[in-house]
Amino acid sequence: MENSLKTPWLLSMCQDVCEGMEYLEAQSFIHRDLAARNCLVNDLNVVKVSDFGMTRYVLDNQYTSSYGAKFPVKWSPPEVLHYNKYSSKSDVWSFGEEPPSLFTERMHTSLGGVRLYRPQRASQPLFSIMYRCWHEVLAEHAGAIRRARRPSFIVFRQ
């Protein structure tokens, strides 16, 4: 895939995912399993978000799963790994993993705070978007959980 698709098409595919996730967020759904494997691509390279098996409708933009519940660790943000708390912001984290999935095979390790290096084919502006997706939303500070500044999907369309 990396050699067959040009960068503008790869960016267009990321835009398609962003628009799909923006729609889900606007409808009060949390996908909870956004990954390249859960996106369908048609013959025109239009991407549709799919596999809604873990999706939850939420009234307050937050869902707490029970301890011991299965979830995709590889694409999960720190607040899920530490507190089992999902929100549209956890979907944004997973969205930040989409460009690397398209541009390269390497992934990060959430728990250690390690983030992916900029893939060679990703421009600095694209990497800045990816990196913003990986800001921690819930962090423990002096025994209290505080909110950080991970953006929403609508920010990426502007």
Side-chain angles (χ1 to χ4, degrees), residues 128-143:
S128 294
I129 291 171
M130 291 163 44
Y131 198 81
R132 287 178 61 198
C133 292
W134 299 328
H135 286 307
E136 290 196 24
V137 169
L138 300 175
E140 196 167 334
H141 180 70

Side-chain angles (χ1 to χ4, degrees), residues 9 12 14 16 22 30-31 37 42 44 46 50 54 67 81 90 95-96 107 110 114 117 119 124 137-138 142 153 158:
W9 275 6
S12 175
C14 291
D16 291 343
E22 180 188 357
I30 301 171
H31 191 279
R37 70 179 183 282
N42 70 13
L44 299 174
V46 176
S50 65
M54 292 183 63
Y67 286 95
L81 298 172
S90 52
F95 173 74
M107 301 309 285
S110 296
V114 177
Y117 292 109
Q124 186 58 47
V137 169
L138 300 175
F153 285 104
Q158 298 172 350

